[in-house]
Amino acid sequence: MSQAYGCGQLKLAGNYYNRGKFIMTACYIPLAVLLSFSESILIALGQDVLVAHYAHEYIVPMIPAMYFLGLFDLSRRFLTCLQYS
């Protein structure tokens, strides 16, 4: 992204940014589905039932936070490239 901006190709830098958002969303959806079943997965792996329940209670509210953290990091990297070029 920084090379595209450095060459003056702002449209290409924007394309890279949008492509990153698309790829992140495409990877996030299966991960969110997998994490929503974390309690069953942990119990199947041999974790204690109470520990698996507490882990599930922590993981489920963090699922949206992970997505927005990814968007924030992508935007931060994009704006950093624009700032120092």
Side-chain angles (χ1 to χ4, degrees), residues 2-77:
S2 59
Q3 290 179 350
Y5 181 79
C7 292
Q9 297 178 345
L10 299 177
K11 187 169 178 79
L12 184 61
N15 286 342
Y16 287 155
Y17 176 70
N18 288 331
R19 189 177 302 161
K21 286 195 306 187
F22 175 76
I23 291 171
M24 192 190 66
T25 303
C27 292
Y28 172 77
I29 292 170
L31 181 65
V33 171
L34 182 72
L35 287 176
S36 65
F37 296 108
S38 61
E39 186 172 7
S40 304
I41 293 170
L42 288 172
I43 291 171
L45 291 174
Q47 187 63 259
D48 184 45
V49 176
L50 186 61
V51 173
H53 177 70
Y54 286 141
H56 179 75
E57 283 184 355
Y58 178 77
I59 290 171
V60 169
M62 298 305 282
I63 291 173
M66 288 176 18
Y67 180 72
F68 291 118
L69 180 65
L71 283 179
F72 168 75
D73 189 54
L74 184 65
S75 299
R76 182 182 56 85
R77 290 175 188 263

